[in-house]
Amino acid sequence: MRTKKRLNDHLNEQLVKFRIEIEAGEYIAPEKMHFSAFVEEWEKKYAVKHLEVTTLNTYKRCLKKRILPVFGSQRLDQIKPIHILNYLDTLEQDGSRMDGKQGNLSSGSVFMMYRILKNIFSRAVEWRIIKSNPVAQITRPKVQYKESRVYSEDQVHQLFEVLQKEPYHWRVMITLALTTGLRRGELLGLEWKNVDLNTGVIHVQQSITTFKDGEPIIKQPKTRKSFKEGSPTNISNSRIK
């Protein structure tokens, strides 16, 4: 941009892009954009392309149930950090649950609302609809994790005994869950080609976490550590009879 010619070339290039957006019906007018309208653009242009199906479904439920009723009619550029802060604060108050139970939302649910809002406003900044992300200036809500309750050794032994009376497929599935620590989606994604009965190992290479139009969505395991071609799960000590 150091010369007038380069500046003019850049401006002409942006003008061409602007005209293309208008003619294609993709131009978004910042001064008229309400939060609900931008969420529709966000879903079409970003969410369906970049979010996992389960994540997208969760986001859409939260938006419909809790976020859009509050921010939907507000102009995107007029939502400030204080509005986000006040909203998150109301979620932590008694009576914020919507399932008929007493108390407030869990810290995990509050964080989910923060996460969704931050994602949406981040896209608005990237697309130059607004200049700054109001959520980015809010301290991330703390999540209080509950201690996991696991079966004792005696309970596992009792479960194995009860399983012997159940159909074979349940005996296999539950035994693998107890002895390997595989996630539910990883268990559902197992195929015979992933199981080596000679060496007693399972190669975890895919996972099924949800279905779309009746068909399973197959993907790689959740983390890279889960996907290990050369470090399979040993099942030689499993009690499948």
Side-chain angles (χ1 to χ4, degrees), residues 18-52:
F18 178 68
R19 287 175 175 171
I20 293 175
E21 287 183 355
I22 293 178
E23 292 174 358
E26 297 180 350
Y27 174 67
I28 304 173
E31 69 277 5
K32 297 181 180 180
M33 178 63 68
H34 287 78
F35 183 83
S36 58
F38 182 76
V39 167
E40 294 180 6
E41 298 292 335
W42 165 84
E43 182 177 342
K44 291 186 297 183
K45 293 180 171 62
Y46 174 82
V48 296
K49 299 177 182 179
H50 299 284
L51 298 180
E52 296 289 348

Side-chain angles (χ1 to χ4, degrees), residues 10-209:
H10 173 74
L11 293 176
N12 287 330
E13 181 182 348
Q14 295 303 313
L15 178 59
V16 171
K17 291 181 179 179
F18 178 68
R19 287 175 175 171
I20 293 175
E21 287 183 355
I22 293 178
E23 292 174 358
E26 297 180 350
Y27 174 67
I28 304 173
E31 69 277 5
K32 297 181 180 180
M33 178 63 68
H34 287 78
F35 183 83
S36 58
F38 182 76
V39 167
E40 294 180 6
E41 298 292 335
W42 165 84
E43 182 177 342
K44 291 186 297 183
K45 293 180 171 62
Y46 174 82
V48 296
K49 299 177 182 179
H50 299 284
L51 298 180
E52 296 289 348
V53 174
T54 51
T55 301
L56 176 58
N57 290 338
T58 299
Y59 278 26
K60 290 172 67 174
R61 286 196 301 270
C62 292
L63 281 163
K64 180 179 180 180
K65 187 176 181 180
R66 291 193 171 274
I67 298 177
L68 285 174
V70 177
F71 295 108
S73 61
Q74 297 187 38
R75 268 179 45 178
L76 200 67
D77 62 340
Q78 293 182 346
I79 300 176
K80 306 301 180 183
I82 187 62
H83 299 137
I84 305 296
L85 186 63
N86 289 339
Y87 170 69
L88 295 176
D89 185 62
T90 60
L91 298 179
E92 297 176 346
Q93 304 302 316
D94 288 338
S96 60
R97 297 177 65 102
M98 302 177 72
D99 55 4
K101 298 181 180 179
Q102 298 295 324
N104 57 352
L105 282 181
S106 66
S107 59
S109 295
V110 174
F111 174 72
M112 176 61 71
M113 306 307 160
Y114 166 88
R115 179 179 174 182
I116 295 171
L117 286 167
K118 187 174 183 180
N119 187 306
I120 292 173
F121 280 107
S122 292
R123 304 292 79 75
V125 173
E126 287 180 6
W127 300 343
R128 299 187 180 182
I129 306 299
I130 55 178
K131 294 182 179 180
S132 62
N133 184 342
V135 187
Q137 302 174 52
I138 302 298
T139 301
R140 171 179 171 173
K142 292 183 178 180
V143 179
Q144 298 178 352
Y145 296 97
K146 296 182 180 180
E147 184 176 353
S148 300
R149 299 178 60 184
V150 299
Y151 292 133
S152 67
E153 186 175 345
D154 289 339
Q155 289 173 325
V156 172
H157 178 75
Q158 293 176 15
L159 184 54
F160 274 132
E161 294 298 327
V162 173
L163 276 177
Q164 304 312 312
K165 302 177 183 179
E166 298 299 320
Y168 188 76
H169 64 279
W170 287 121
R171 289 156 55 192
V172 172
M173 182 68 72
I174 296 176
T175 299
L176 285 175
L178 288 169
T179 57
T180 65
L182 294 179
R183 298 182 178 91
R184 180 177 58 182
E186 293 169 347
L187 287 169
L188 294 175
L190 284 178
E191 296 185 79
W192 282 114
K193 63 183 181 181
N194 305 133
V195 181
D196 190 333
L197 296 178
N198 294 323
T199 59
V201 298
I202 293 176
H203 295 271
V204 182
Q205 298 180 329
Q206 60 188 29
S207 175
I208 297 176
T209 57

